[in-house]
Amino acid sequence: MTTAQPRPGALGEATLGELAEALRGELIRPDDPGYDEARSIWNGAHDRRPALIVRCHGVADVLKAVEFARSEGLPLAVRGGAHSIPGFSTVDDGLVLDLSPMNGIRVDPARRTVTAQGGCLWRDVDAETQAFGLAVTGGLVSSTGIAGFTLGGGVGWLVRRCGLTCDNLVGADIVTADGRYLHVSEDEHPELLWALRGGGGNFGVVTSFEFRLHEVGPTVFAGLVFYHGEHAEQVLRGYRTAVSGAPDELTTLVNMTTAPPAPFLPAEVHGKPIVAVAGLWSGRPEDGDAATRPFRELAPVVVDLFSPMPYTAMQTILDPLWPRGMWNYFRSAFFDDLDDATTGALIRSYANVPNPLTELHVHHLGGAMGRVPADATAFAARNHDFILNVVARSADADGFPAAREWARGATEVLGPDAATYVNFTGEGGEDRVRAAYPKDTYERLAAIKDTYDPTNLFHLNQNIRPSTTH
């Protein structure tokens, strides 16, 4: 890439003083109190030491940070919710542009839209939109940032009814590599809007997002049902049948995991293989019991936690299982059918999990997501009914390499050419990025990259390289 390399020691006190004085937000340096806290991210597998952290309090700060990184030749990492699995929200010896203070939200209930700044988390957006009985497809863990989640696609509990998060992106404000501040919509820079709908963080710093909202909640019928791990194959076969008749209002997934020491699970299953089917019915709550029942009778039940609940409760129900600081590596593969071969491969991977924190998630897709034309957005993987998301975790470095290799093997058995999901990609190699996009989509993204970031300033992402760097 042609982005200038950092110049260690070249940043003088006067230069840094001018930057600090120009900011409304905060400039944090390695010797400052709170630096270690400020540099940490959710994924403990990445321990980087940036030269500078700029906590932006507004668009003016973003403009100054981008200009400073470009003029000083510093690698630039953009941080929203800091959940980047490959660690792209931090960098050694570069500048971290931290959007977390920018968390303003404005709901327009009459137009059914919400405008949210780039530092917002999904719990922030859900709290505001649910005050009006509205929602957009959001993250399964509420501490996830809206920015990276949206730009990579956005698969959540409303994906079958409302589509991907990026399908509901109707406008955005963005700071580009050359310091322009643009509003993007179907009428203004529509090609850039197309790229933001699934093309990742390649094209600039998105300072605010405008989403189309849908009537959801405040009460939904949702939850989890647990089965003994020994019945995993029976559950998968039954799940294949159950989803074949599922309406769009129902989104579900199968999680093959190890039972945590959670109070809602009997003590005798703690630490043992267990299979959970989780789901959310967003239709009339009184219809939810019947709609979800086929998924709650797949095998002898350990415990059934499906019930009417607030939408915000389902959006946070998994939070305790995803604390900050664990070492995480994710892998993904789209596939078309839970046939015998696929089921067998999943069962074999499940039988060889390297530690109790590793998991296999089978998400049912289709519905509204599948009805969007493949070329309507940069997220083109529309014609698959399922996605396998493989979660490799460890409490620390011990055992992490083995978990990572297991995750790679678990997706490769579905085929070396299987499409991958940008948001569940644990590394940023070019082969993984190209696996996320069909050839025509990738080439169109590269052309847009040439227009808005020809020097690849924004390369800490699932990188679409401009043609000038090839």
Side-chain angles (χ1 to χ4, degrees), residues 157-305:
W157 293 125
L158 299 176
V159 68
R160 286 179 43 77
R161 177 181 164 190
C162 305
L164 297 162
T165 312
C166 71
D167 297 338
N168 294 281
L169 182 66
V170 296
D173 294 328
I174 185 171
V175 173
T176 59
D178 59 1
R180 286 182 293 166
Y181 179 59
L182 305 177
H183 181 69
V184 179
S185 69
E186 295 286 1
D187 299 320
E188 301 172 81
H189 310 283
E191 189 73 350
L192 184 52
L193 178 63
W194 177 90
L196 296 181
R197 291 170 168 166
N202 277 282
F203 309 100
V205 183
V206 181
T207 59
S208 72
F209 297 79
E210 183 181 4
F211 298 109
R212 178 191 308 110
L213 297 173
H214 305 261
E215 289 189 10
V216 175
T219 300
V220 296
F221 194 93
L224 304 94
V225 58
F226 292 88
Y227 303 98
H228 292 286
E230 65 195 65
H231 298 305
E233 184 172 353
Q234 178 180 343
V235 170
L236 285 177
R237 294 185 184 281
Y239 184 74
R240 177 193 185 193
T241 301
V243 297
S244 65
D248 291 357
E249 292 86 353
L250 181 61
T251 298
T252 58
L253 65 84
V254 177
N255 180 4
M256 294 183 285
T257 184
T258 302
F264 53 77
L265 289 173
E268 59 267 23
V269 304
H270 290 178
K272 296 180 179 179
I274 201 164
V275 179
V277 176
L280 183 145
W281 165 261
S282 59
R284 297 192 314 165
E286 57 267 33
D287 298 331
D289 180 74
T292 59
R293 187 154 295 281
F295 298 85
R296 295 153 54 207
E297 298 176 340
L298 299 176
V301 172
V302 175
V303 63
D304 183 351
L305 301 178

Side-chain angles (χ1 to χ4, degrees), residues 270-357:
H270 290 178
K272 296 180 179 179
I274 201 164
V275 179
V277 176
L280 183 145
W281 165 261
S282 59
R284 297 192 314 165
E286 57 267 33
D287 298 331
D289 180 74
T292 59
R293 187 154 295 281
F295 298 85
R296 295 153 54 207
E297 298 176 340
L298 299 176
V301 172
V302 175
V303 63
D304 183 351
L305 301 178
F306 272 86
S307 68
M309 66 175 69
Y311 173 74
T312 52
M314 188 59 183
Q315 283 291 90
T316 59
I317 200 169
L318 300 178
D319 286 6
L321 302 177
W322 297 93
R324 186 184 182 96
M326 284 192 174
W327 288 45
N328 290 268
Y329 174 86
F330 292 0
R331 193 85 166 186
S332 66
F334 289 94
F335 63 99
D336 297 325
D337 189 17
L338 270 171
D339 55 21
D340 291 348
T342 301
T343 297
L346 294 173
I347 294 300
R348 287 191 294 274
S349 294
Y350 183 41
N352 292 298
V353 292
N355 67 55
L357 296 172

